[in-house]
């Protein structure tokens, strides 16, 4: 039986948007996508968190969800949770059920910004998970919260130890190092010079970095010279 929240989601269905999303998220069955636009999901999540209805608690506690849009809404609800202990518990419960890059990347709890030190042990554990999107999420959190004033080169070193054939993990590693080059160029450059990443990820990092406006033309030229060419 569909919940009241699921019924509400169908009121906002946009079938053209649903078809568009299905092409972008190949790991999700097309018939599991309702087609609710992201701003609408964000707005609904804020309303549900604010009202603290029992329906919301039941929705978050009931996993797995049937629809992609329910997972998206769930991610936005967690992202709005203000108590760190509650939020981290919700994240840990939800992570094993994430089955696509979009939901993984939308899960971005605001409260983590104020609790970075407490977050690190969880990231360390998530990095060693056998679940693709748990690892991707961990790398994403290091990219989001630990590339500025809380940056430490050891975090980048940890990511270089991640070895996976999963496209969505390799892509996130490349995204991390490309962003790190833009923010911490001098410290991160040796990882590229020493070819610490697997060849595909190494080259994708250079490609993404060269697409950034934050990388200078001179830096881009040098990075391109470090590409690994197929033998």
């Amino acid at each position: 039986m569909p919940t009241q929240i699921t019924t509400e989601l169908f009121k906002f269905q946009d079938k053209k948007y649903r078809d568009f999303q299905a092409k972008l998220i190949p790991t999700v069955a097309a018939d599991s996508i309702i087609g609710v636009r992201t701003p609408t999901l964000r707005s609904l999540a804020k309303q549900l968190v604010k009202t603290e209805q029992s329906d919301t608690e039941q929705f978050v506690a009931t996993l797995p969800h049937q629809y992609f849009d329910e997972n998206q809404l769930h991610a936005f609800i967690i992202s709005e949770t203000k108590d760190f202990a509650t939020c981290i518990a919700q994240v840990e419960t939800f992570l094993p059920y994430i089955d696509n890059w979009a939901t993984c990347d939308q899960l971005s709890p605001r409260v983590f910004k104020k609790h970075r030190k407490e977050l690190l042990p969880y990231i360390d554990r998530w990095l060693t998970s056998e679940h693709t999107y748990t690892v991707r999420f961990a790398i994403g959190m290091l990219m989001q919260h630990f590339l500025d004033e809380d940056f430490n080169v050891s975090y980048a070193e940890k990511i270089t130890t991640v070895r996976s054939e999963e496209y969505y993990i390799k892509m996130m590693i490349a995204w991390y190092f490309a962003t790190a080059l833009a923010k911490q160029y001098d410290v991160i450059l040796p990882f590229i010079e020493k070819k610490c990443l697997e060849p595909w990820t190494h080259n994708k990092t250079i490609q993404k970095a060269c697409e950034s406006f934050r990388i200078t033309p001179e830096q881009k030229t040098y990075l391109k010279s470090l590409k690994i060419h197929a033998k």
Side-chain angles (χ1 to χ4, degrees):
M1 290 291 291
T3 65
Q4 182 178 342
I5 290 175
T6 307
T7 301
E8 187 74 11
L9 288 173
F10 271 96
K11 293 180 182 178
F12 299 105
Q13 184 179 48
D14 182 330
K15 293 184 178 179
K16 288 185 177 180
Y17 184 63
R18 175 198 63 192
D19 296 342
F20 170 72
Q21 282 188 306
K23 296 176 182 178
L24 294 179
I25 314 168
T27 60
V28 173
D31 60 3
S32 72
I33 300 175
I34 298 173
V36 184
R37 291 182 177 272
T38 298
T40 301
L41 289 169
R42 288 186 187 277
S43 178
L44 181 57
K46 289 180 180 179
Q47 292 175 28
L48 292 171
V49 170
K50 188 179 296 185
T51 55
E52 297 182 346
Q53 297 176 353
S54 59
D55 286 346
T56 308
E57 295 177 2
Q58 182 181 356
F59 173 77
V60 172
T62 305
L63 290 164
H65 296 302
Q66 180 178 354
Y67 295 102
F68 163 77
D69 309 68
E70 291 176 314
N71 281 323
Q72 292 287 86
L73 179 63
H74 194 141
F76 289 134
I77 289 173
I78 293 176
S79 298
E80 293 291 330
T81 301
K82 295 181 179 180
D83 178 74
F84 177 76
T86 301
C87 184
I88 205 75
Q90 291 177 341
V91 167
E92 295 239 271
T93 299
F94 185 50
L95 279 175
Y97 295 95
I98 296 178
D99 61 359
N100 68 89
W101 67 266
T103 302
C104 180
D105 295 358
Q106 295 287 20
L107 181 60
S108 180
R110 296 184 181 185
V111 72
F112 283 3
K113 185 177 181 180
K114 297 180 180 179
H115 296 270
R116 292 187 180 119
K117 186 176 180 180
E118 299 98 311
L119 180 62
L120 279 171
Y122 293 96
I123 291 177
D124 286 343
R125 181 153 48 79
W126 296 334
L127 279 173
T128 63
S129 172
E130 295 183 359
H131 179 239
T132 296
Y133 298 102
T134 298
V135 177
R136 182 180 171 97
F137 178 72
I139 298 168
M141 289 300 96
L142 284 174
M143 181 173 69
Q144 183 175 340
H145 296 293
F146 297 95
L147 280 181
D148 295 300
E149 65 269 19
D150 289 329
F151 172 73
N152 189 301
V153 69
S154 66
Y155 306 148
E157 291 171 350
K158 288 179 182 180
I159 294 178
T160 65
T161 67
V162 176
R163 288 290 182 265
S164 174
E165 291 303 312
E166 292 286 347
Y167 171 81
Y168 292 104
I169 291 179
K170 294 194 294 183
M171 197 67 196
M172 181 56 85
I173 293 173
W175 189 6
Y176 170 88
F177 276 96
T179 305
L181 281 167
K183 293 189 172 188
Q184 305 286 347
Y185 183 83
D186 292 336
V187 181
I188 295 297
L189 182 61
F191 288 94
I192 309 303
E193 292 176 323
K194 296 175 183 178
K195 298 179 172 58
C196 296
L197 304 175
E198 294 175 307
W200 185 93
T201 311
H202 173 97
N203 287 342
K204 185 60 70 171
T205 295
I206 292 172
Q207 176 191 328
K208 290 295 180 184
C210 290
E211 291 171 357
S212 172
F213 293 113
R214 294 178 290 182
I215 301 291
T216 68
E218 293 77 17
Q219 290 170 340
K220 290 178 182 180
T221 298
Y222 181 56
L223 286 170
K224 288 176 182 178
S225 75
L226 298 176
K227 282 186 175 182
I228 297 175
H229 299 284
K231 295 181 180 179

